[in-house]
Amino acid sequence: MAADNRPTLGIGMVGYAFMGRAHSQAWRSAGAFFDLPARPVMAALAGRSKESVAAAAHDLGWAAAETDWRDLVARDDVQVVDICTPGDSHAEIAIAALEAGKHVICEKPLANTVAEAEAMAEAAKRAAARGVHAMVAFNYRRVPAVALARRWVAEGRLGELRHVRAQYLQDWIVDPYFPLVWRLQRDRAGSGALGDIGAHIIDTAQFVTGRRLTGVSALTETFVKHRPLAEGSAGLSAGGAARETGEVTVDDAALFIGRFEGGALGSFEATRFAAGRKNALRLEINGSAGSLAFDFEAMNELWFHDHTLPAAEAGFRRVIVTEADHPYAGAWWPPGHGLGYEHTFTHEVKDFVEAVAAGRAPSPSFADGLRVQRVLAAVEASAADGSRFTAVEDAPRAGAAVPDAVYQTPEEES
Amino acid sequence: MAADNRPTLGIGMVGYAFMGRAHSQAWRSAGAFFDLPARPVMAALAGRSKESVAAAAHDLGWAAAETDWRDLVARDDVQVVDICTPGDSHAEIAIAALEAGKHVICEKPLANTVAEAEAMAEAAKRAAARGVHAMVAFNYRRVPAVALARRWVAEGRLGELRHVRAQYLQDWIVDPYFPLVWRLQRDRAGSGALGDIGAHIIDTAQFVTGRRLTGVSALTETFVKHRPLAEGSAGLSAGGAARETGEVTVDDAALFIGRFEGGALGSFEATRFAAGRKNALRLEINGSAGSLAFDFEAMNELWFHDHTLPAAEAGFRRVIVTEADHPYAGAWWPPGHGLGYEHTFTHEVKDFVEAVAAGRAPSPSFADGLRVQRVLAAVEASAADGSRFTAVEDAPRAGAAVPDAVYQTPEEES
Amino acid sequence: MAADNRPTLGIGMVGYAFMGRAHSQAWRSAGAFFDLPARPVMAALAGRSKESVAAAAHDLGWAAAETDWRDLVARDDVQVVDICTPGDSHAEIAIAALEAGKHVICEKPLANTVAEAEAMAEAAKRAAARGVHAMVAFNYRRVPAVALARRWVAEGRLGELRHVRAQYLQDWIVDPYFPLVWRLQRDRAGSGALGDIGAHIIDTAQFVTGRRLTGVSALTETFVKHRPLAEGSAGLSAGGAARETGEVTVDDAALFIGRFEGGALGSFEATRFAAGRKNALRLEINGSAGSLAFDFEAMNELWFHDHTLPAAEAGFRRVIVTEADHPYAGAWWPPGHGLGYEHTFTHEVKDFVEAVAAGRAPSPSFADGLRVQRVLAAVEASAADGSRFTAVEDAPRAGAAVPDAVYQTPEEES
Amino acid sequence: MAADNRPTLGIGMVGYAFMGRAHSQAWRSAGAFFDLPARPVMAALAGRSKESVAAAAHDLGWAAAETDWRDLVARDDVQVVDICTPGDSHAEIAIAALEAGKHVICEKPLANTVAEAEAMAEAAKRAAARGVHAMVAFNYRRVPAVALARRWVAEGRLGELRHVRAQYLQDWIVDPYFPLVWRLQRDRAGSGALGDIGAHIIDTAQFVTGRRLTGVSALTETFVKHRPLAEGSAGLSAGGAARETGEVTVDDAALFIGRFEGGALGSFEATRFAAGRKNALRLEINGSAGSLAFDFEAMNELWFHDHTLPAAEAGFRRVIVTEADHPYAGAWWPPGHGLGYEHTFTHEVKDFVEAVAAGRAPSPSFADGLRVQRVLAAVEASAADGSRFTAVEDAPRAGAAVPDAVYQTPEEES
């Protein structure tokens, strides 16, 4: 065998549902494609049910299983705690892990409330002083096309930003007989489409533009106010007209318009009622020198309009983001051989391991996660207050100068 | 020659710029493709400059020219007055023509203020009692794909409507050195992107859904606050750094979110700063049984998702709206031989002539135009009042039942 | 009225079916949008049935009607004869008109046989010596996107051409019960998909590339060999199982591969059996410096890949061909307000009138039409001879140098 | 840990370049997503260089390394030999492995010559009698959209097939200074674009249609006949005008037209000179009842036109192939969360393991690989013989009945 003098990095993961499966694939794959400075070792998986967690650990490639996350955090062979549970447990686990000196990756949204997110950001700040790092897992930042979009915005290719148009459209609860799962209950999920998918477009938009939302005006709606109780609930069978229903206590859709620092306008929409749109995370940005457009349903493409070309030659250009010079793409396959959803997590692992091995803070930080949480809170506050324009707490002023402004209008020159 | 026993319909047009050229082509062409019940005769064109209007009449095919619109209205050979002037003259001309017993087609927006629009709607109502009719020229209703969208919504193919997503994106003033033309001055144009193109998506959305906006929350912005004075203004030459600038007094962009009667949510955006988008009038509607999507930049296509199909077979379908059974299309060319922008006006003429010949009120009426005006007013009021949700005057309640509801949620059944 | 000192140009048209309606709209419209050097006057229309031709003349805007094309050719007020009849009468009418000193526009394909086409090209050559001109109406050359494609190829933007991929896909006879119309009978139509739509892609490809096909290898097929006789034929009604059928004597589809002068390879396909493709005239060209792609079903778009850009920035770019600098487009509407099928004919009229008024030969010439005819003949000869590669008569050698070569391979430099 | 009573299946892989990396990821991942009947164990990797193969084995997750493939075949812990070497070594390794009683997966094309492929198919047949199985790795069959296409064709949704349009377009050697790598030398690679990517579209087309090509007419071309020798060759540096060049001895592009059993026509094109097309494996099939279209550059989409719908409602529908009911997709992520290139290999492993565990022959067989090889041979023979139509050896007659014909034309009914 080849010698491998790299340090190892023991990983412990909590939760093994949708996100846990995705993260496992990432931990299993990253080292085969990226030249990592440390070798991740899939040490242990935690879950409540002894039998289930053992089976999952076996299937997903974890060396051991724990039934209490505290035991996982305490393991000597675990240096990183990867939190893949629902939002209501993030704060407790993350803070405990950080205090125990373990690096943390935490799924999004960072927490279910601003207060929890603040506590987590505070804990992350304290830990960082001791060289212990935390990252919130906004995986869409690691779509190569999204990372390329950020690069091009930062390079000034779009000039001064004017419009941000972001949508996250799904359709999995269009059917009113779809049952009342926990994601549709406020006490469990915090919010509905807003926190689940709205959080993604808020983070993606702020990441790509390098600018923060300063205030918002919002509407939210619950279209189907009662739904059948989920299987196993009390009540008659699904077929019966008398099947018992319960109240949906989260939003089905959230729309808001807002302002970014630097002056751009934003239009956002998150919904689970867009029939035919499966996972349409879309972002379009218009600037004075060009525009970008992205849709996750065609995740290997970034559309770029170069407004500095003569009008007769310009148009939106479909860049297939699989070239060696594109973010992340060089590690994979030849041009035109696209990546899929799970690669966003593999890239996340790669960036995280590189940062931690170098003693750098990985990105996005818990502070970034808190910033998204504050936008979510402003959206809910506005929606509850007649859509009144509501400032995002701690955000810069809308008109604040942004460092990379590359453009001047006539009055600014005088 | 063939005998032609149809009555004639004398047309007088006021204005001969962009809209005047489009309307002329429509009057010239409609009879060759549609079997009209009356034969339009292009009797006279009115404009202020004697020389220019005579040349335009000659080029565009009008038999005579007038330099005062009042003289045109008074002509015995004119039964229809077609108003193609800017919005600030609509009310005066239209009301005078209706009172003189002439049918009227008036370009959109109906007027620059709600008060003017109310007076016009009132005049139209009085005239209708005397068999004299008025229509506002929201030409996008006559795109075959848009008319097909309305048909399918009315047939219940989308089920209960959930989302309306409407954008009208242009980019002709992205350059801050583009001069301060009259469309950028409030005293002339009324408003900016809002009234010019926002009015189109408001009308199109209300037309296709058959539902009215009940309230809105809005943001407007003027990105470039000063611009060089237009050529011919006082000041130095364009190249000089000291070229004189003036203030832009209208919005560059207007965004709003809102609610429709029947419960759907709407997201609207009108801007002249979307670099690379030339005339992107886009509409997407999501319902419980299906979705529709349209973009005028591909005007011969309507995308339809049938949500009643099995998920494994469903998807957005590109219907090329050139079949004999499609609205308007049968009169033109074989399938796949598309139409262009100007055909919307030809269809407008066809519908107008048919209605007038049959003694019916053409559609959209001045009352419809007033409804759009009231939405524009609510948008401006909301934007001026911290984006507060603002009811549209005279609109039905958001939750009001709509006649063609085809769908029931679980709680509605109980 | 405005003074108009331009000479008039009297037009006489023969035939008033599909093409006749399209040409009429063009003659009626061209002068309102283009500043023509002569004023076309729609003098007379010829057709066999007195009643029908009179009605058509009235509807389509022709001042007079004739029942014999010879009388139309003989009229003093006719300087241009526009031939919109089926191919079997082209030669006789065109040659007679040219000999009578009338300019000629003739629909495509130029003729049903090479012999006829040769006679016509010969007649056109003789007439040209007397200042009388002829044009064959390959209207797709006048799609702005197609004209732009030619411009960019001629400017060297694609470098050395490697591949031409051309398809013309329709689906109007997929149903085997579609009747045996005259277009499916060899004695009337000459050939099937090959001459009807294959001729268009051959001409378009040669036009855009500026290079001729030098040889081809072909397959043709008639999928449905018998069809019900058309209505009015002897036999029982359509519903009856015993309805009489007749033999289809033309090709349903024609495929060929070939070589162009200069060395590019070509792949061509013309079919009426491509279910779901309505009028998909598609052309893709790949060169050493870039590529172009076009599909008539989205006729206002030209897709351009600039291969000289860094790979990380390159991609097919959707140019909406409605800018003032684009061919023909400046005469119409603002950017993004697209054109339709019929505009190709209006552009044809514009180019023809400009050429004739200037004493120049319009393009494409009858010689160009003959060149297409020779390719059609080579296709049929190859298909009949085991697909053997068959040289196109009179074409240059495949390897012949082309004047605008812009590129050298390593061995050419040595 | 969970108990795992499944048998293990020891895998030995030969080669670790592009294909080896892809196969490794598949072996590593399949078990985490699919419930496999046997547990693959990545036992050993073979390669010539001791140092390199050891490093690769470590990076890619193989437990041991061998420097001679014969030693790998001989290992007791290897039950499956996975051949990822260039085509010239396939026959020797595969036959030896089968004779040693090892199951075999062999990369495509099966071999460099028909003779080798015949020997391999013969060996596979003998081995199968002993329960030892072989598969050729046409991975594009395992794109979910391609597998869905086959399902729908087999269900008769396209009716009688008329047209198959297949292209595989790449652009990685457009630059004439790209060096003379081994893939451009006949003695190493067998052929150029034809065998490398043409083989894929031949197999994919035959797989999806369930019909074989019966004969072809072909053109091949080498656009750039000399190229700089690759780095490390004798000669001066790349920058020098005098850099030594060598002859390209394979095709740069191969085009052919042909016939399928059952009567459909095919048009095929494989090229490495389509600037801007990165990995455009495209397939369109037109039948009497519908059409399908696919492009690997958007690999999660299958476009379906249902020709049995009323024309006014029909159109190509974009099915995102990520639903639970779609082939392979249910094992992965929720709808709209797409897969990438490498998943085709994971699916291949899954199907292979299932077949071998059940004692069934996996598909595609070496006989299928031989069928593709015979088409490649017919293409080369036709191209060398003036494009003469050349029958594919052992193929059925073009007009032969196919079992699942679902459609009758009028003459067939009589």
Side-chain angles (χ1 to χ4, degrees), chain B residues 136-222:
Chain B
V136 60
F138 282 114
N139 63 303
Y140 288 105
R141 290 188 177 204
R142 267 77 182 202
V143 176
V146 171
L148 181 62
R150 175 182 167 88
R151 178 191 294 175
W152 285 352
V153 171
E155 288 174 1
R157 295 198 177 203
L158 265 57
E160 191 163 2
L161 304 189
R162 302 306 195 187
H163 288 287
V164 176
R165 213 164 287 116
Q167 298 160 355
Y168 201 147
L169 311 179
Q170 297 183 335
D171 72 355
W172 55 279
I173 57 171
V174 165
D175 180 355
Y177 294 100
F178 185 92
L180 188 65
V181 296
W182 70 266
R183 283 178 188 273
L184 304 181
Q185 303 174 38
R186 173 167 291 270
D187 55 356
R188 302 286 308 283
S191 69
L194 177 61
D196 186 21
I197 54 180
H200 273 304
I201 45 175
I202 293 166
D203 183 70
T204 302
Q206 296 191 144
F207 169 70
V208 171
T209 61
R211 286 152 175 84
R212 293 175 56 191
L213 279 158
T214 61
V216 297
S217 168
L219 284 177
T220 59
E221 182 61 85
T222 305

Side-chain angles (χ1 to χ4, degrees), chain A residues 203-400:
Chain A
D203 182 71
T204 302
Q206 296 193 142
F207 170 70
V208 171
T209 62
R211 285 151 175 86
R212 292 175 58 191
L213 277 159
T214 61
V216 297
S217 169
L219 283 178
T220 58
E221 182 61 85
T222 305
F223 294 116
V224 176
K225 293 184 172 53
H226 296 82
R227 288 181 177 273
L229 297 183
E231 302 259 327
S233 313
L236 302 179
S237 68
R243 183 166 171 188
E244 209 174 340
T245 63
E247 191 183 357
V248 176
T249 48
V250 298
D251 59 279
D252 284 337
L255 281 68
F256 64 94
I257 49 183
R259 295 182 183 275
F260 282 83
E261 55 179 322
L265 298 181
S267 173
F268 288 75
E269 183 169 359
T271 180
R272 295 159 170 168
F273 272 74
R277 303 303 180 191
K278 300 302 171 185
N279 202 44
L281 187 163
R282 297 173 179 171
L283 183 67
E284 177 166 335
I285 305 174
N286 307 128
S288 59
S291 292
L292 287 171
F294 172 76
D295 184 340
F296 187 79
E297 288 186 354
M299 69 169 275
N300 292 293
E301 302 172 13
L302 180 65
W303 292 78
F304 173 49
H305 166 74
D306 182 349
H307 204 65
T308 66
L309 289 172
E313 300 180 22
F316 275 83
R317 180 192 307 174
R318 179 195 186 220
V319 179
I320 302 181
V321 191
T322 52
E323 297 293 320
D325 291 346
H326 286 145
Y328 307 109
W332 297 97
W333 315 110
H337 297 67
L339 301 183
Y341 170 68
E342 77 201 44
H343 295 81
T344 59
F345 298 95
T346 310
H347 302 160
E348 201 162 72
V349 158
K350 176 247 181 194
D351 287 342
F352 179 84
V353 170
E354 287 181 354
V356 162
R360 281 189 284 106
S363 173
S365 67
F366 277 15
D368 290 324
L370 172 59
R371 283 185 191 108
V372 171
Q373 214 74 33
R374 292 198 195 283
V375 177
L376 298 177
V379 168
E380 293 206 311
S382 173
D385 187 23
S387 304
R388 195 172 51 83
F389 190 80
T390 302
V392 176
E393 201 183 330
D394 276 354
R397 287 175 307 114

Side-chain angles (χ1 to χ4, degrees), chain C residues 71-117:
Chain C
D71 295 333
L72 182 121
V73 167
R75 288 176 69 111
D76 284 343
D77 61 352
V78 164
Q79 285 92 46
V80 174
V81 175
D82 183 357
I83 305 173
C84 291
T85 56
D88 55 0
S89 56
H90 287 181
E92 186 181 12
I93 304 174
I95 294 171
L98 289 168
E99 291 183 349
K102 309 299 169 96
H103 305 295
V104 169
I105 301 181
C106 182
E107 258 306 317
K108 50 58 56 185
L110 189 58
N112 277 0
T113 66
V114 167
E116 287 174 332

Side-chain angles (χ1 to χ4, degrees), chain C residues 176 217 221 259 275 291 407 413, chain D residues 176-177 217 221 259 275 291 407:
Chain C
S217 168
E221 181 60 84
R259 294 183 183 276
S291 292
Y407 186 81
E413 292 176 358
Chain D
Y177 293 100
S217 169
E221 182 61 84
R259 295 182 183 275
S291 292
Y407 186 81

